Amino acid sequence: MVERQFQKLNFYLLGFAIVMALLKFWMMVTVDSKIVVICAFLSLLLLGSTINVGIGNLVPNHVKKKICFRIDFWLAVLTLWFTMLPFGLFGLSAFFKTSFPLTGYQFTWITINRYWLLGCLITAYVVLLMVVLYLRRFIYYLATSYNKSFLQILTLSRHTASLKDVGRSLLLIAIRIGWVMCLILFLSFINYLVGQQFVFVLSLGIINLCVPLIEIKLLFRLLAIPVNSHIKLTGISVFGLFGALIFVSVLGVTYSSHRILKPAQQEIIVHRGVIDNDGAPNTISALKKNSRYRFSYVEMDIQETKDHHFICAHNDTLFIPGVKGTRKM
């Protein structure tokens, strides 16, 4: 009975990986911010429903219907969803961060304040990650100790946690990242040796199917949700795995064909007035040298000095000949 439940969960996880691939290819083809928002919401729902299936044998159905349980559960899922964004979120994060355009003013503000802003974001995320790993058994205790209040479950999670346990969790995450990197490098090497289109398509399918599976099983292990890592090789399981691989691979071919038939409109912009490092960036000499190519656009960096003059410079410091080091403008 238990083995059948694990088999069912494994097939559900396989379906999870397929739907994540569908969401990714949908965002690739449409390139629409509204679709990205819809996919982000669907990925959150899918993550929550998958975890809900994982804890299905731990909590009675009448408890799942309670409002308090649902609120606590979905708050925990939302926290996990945000925590997984920097780790790729099953391959979706790259589309989230590139689908929302910034205005020139916003981009300039981020560029000027990038160091302290990046430091604050990294610090905040590290704190969030440590808290999530420290309280990683919260959902498990929410399912098994459903007669307790939110604060009691939080206290129980805290009492069973330790810094040593956090270290083991970080090591486990690092190992899984290593698995993914080795898989990608191995498939890249195979493609380099063979150089055939069908091998590339198959490799794309393997990556898009296996990486989400590795991530979701890692998440289940961190959450202390029991899951059998091995799928019993029956006729149905082999057919399911092979069918999923072919389906995800065909998605990749469909996307590639769509991009080839409908190429995006492109414009060449001369970066800081320089082409192939043929001059000093942000200078009049570079502009004069490369104006003969007649490109539509040239990008230059503009900075305002302390005495309120505008100059072409990338950094907020300027090297002045004859003066040691750099000076603030």
Side-chain angles (χ1 to χ4, degrees):
M1 184 65 180
V2 175
E3 185 177 346
R4 288 185 61 185
Q5 291 172 346
F6 280 135
Q7 284 288 95
K8 182 180 178 181
L9 178 58
N10 278 323
F11 279 112
Y12 194 92
L13 296 180
L14 186 62
F16 171 87
I18 294 174
V19 175
M20 283 298 178
L22 278 170
L23 293 179
K24 182 165 62 174
F25 288 119
W26 189 21
M27 288 188 289
M28 281 182 179
V29 172
T30 55
V31 196
D32 188 335
S33 298
K34 294 179 182 178
I35 299 299
V36 172
V37 173
I38 294 173
C39 288
F41 181 69
L42 290 177
S43 67
L44 175 63
L45 292 180
L46 186 60
L47 178 62
S49 61
T50 304
I51 295 174
N52 189 48
V53 171
I55 64 174
N57 299 322
L58 303 176
V59 56
N61 288 328
H62 73 274
V63 175
K64 291 182 180 180
K65 297 178 182 179
K66 292 183 178 180
I67 299 298
C68 292
F69 178 87
R70 291 182 178 180
I71 293 174
D72 295 344
F73 176 79
W74 283 104
L75 282 176
V77 171
L78 184 62
T79 304
L80 288 173
W81 189 87
F82 275 110
T83 307
M84 293 183 68
L85 280 174
F87 287 97
L89 191 65
F90 313 106
L92 304 180
S93 295
F95 302 99
F96 296 163
K97 68 183 181 182
T98 57
S99 299
F100 300 99
L102 297 174
T103 64
Y105 174 79
Q106 291 169 338
F107 181 80
T108 302
W109 185 87
I110 291 174
T111 303
I112 293 174
N113 300 282
R114 60 187 179 276
Y115 295 116
W116 71 263
L117 185 62
L118 186 62
C120 291
L121 289 175
I122 291 176
T123 302
Y125 179 75
V126 169
V127 172
L128 174 64
L129 180 62
M130 293 299 104
V131 171
V132 168
L133 290 179
Y134 196 75
L135 302 174
R136 66 186 179 89
R137 293 182 178 87
F138 176 83
I139 291 181
Y140 175 80
Y141 289 128
L142 181 66
T144 57
S145 306
Y146 47 83
N147 57 337
K148 298 181 182 297
S149 66
F150 175 83
L151 292 178
Q152 288 175 326
I153 295 173
L154 204 61
T155 302
L156 182 61
S157 303
R158 182 171 58 83
H159 286 166
T160 55
S162 65
L163 292 178
K164 187 176 181 180
D165 181 67
V166 172
R168 284 196 296 265
S169 299
L170 289 172
L171 179 61
L172 189 62
I173 292 172
I175 291 173
R176 293 302 186 273
I177 292 175
W179 285 11
V180 172
M181 293 179 64
C182 289
L183 175 65
I184 295 174
L185 288 174
F186 173 74
L187 292 175
S188 300
F189 180 69
I190 294 298
N191 277 269
Y192 174 76
L193 292 179
V194 178
Q196 297 292 327
Q197 181 68 20
F198 81 92
V199 177
F200 172 75
V201 171
L202 190 62
S203 301
L204 189 66
I206 292 173
I207 291 173
N208 285 301
L209 186 65
C210 290
V211 173
L213 278 175
I214 292 173
E215 287 187 60
I216 192 63
K217 290 207 170 188
L218 169 63
L219 180 63
F220 270 47
R221 183 168 177 180
L222 291 175
L223 297 179
I225 299 175
V227 58
N228 190 348
S229 299
H230 304 287
I231 298 178
K232 188 177 180 180
L233 293 179
T234 63
I236 297 177
S237 62
V238 171
F239 177 78
L241 285 170
F242 184 74
L245 179 60
I246 295 300
F247 178 73
V248 175
S249 299
V250 169
L251 281 178
V253 175
T254 304
Y255 165 69
S256 300
S257 301
H258 176 84
R259 298 295 287 182
I260 292 173
L261 293 175
K262 296 181 179 180
Q265 185 68 31
Q266 296 182 350
E267 287 282 359
I268 297 177
I269 301 175
V270 182
H271 186 225
R272 300 179 192 169
V274 176
I275 302 176
D276 294 331
N277 297 317
D278 64 348
N282 292 314
T283 58
I284 295 177
S285 60
L287 285 174
K288 288 181 176 179
K289 179 184 291 186
N290 294 312
S291 62
R292 65 183 184 275
Y293 295 109
R294 300 186 181 279
F295 288 115
S296 300
Y297 300 98
V298 175
E299 179 267 344
M300 305 290 280
D301 301 294
I302 307 297
Q303 296 278 6
E304 184 180 4
T305 61
K306 287 182 178 180
D307 54 353
H308 306 294
H309 288 83
F310 292 95
I311 63 173
C312 283
H314 179 267
N315 299 327
D316 55 1
T317 56
L318 186 66
F319 176 77
I320 302 175
V323 178
K324 187 177 181 180
T326 59
R327 285 187 176 182
K328 282 277 187 180
M329 290 187 287

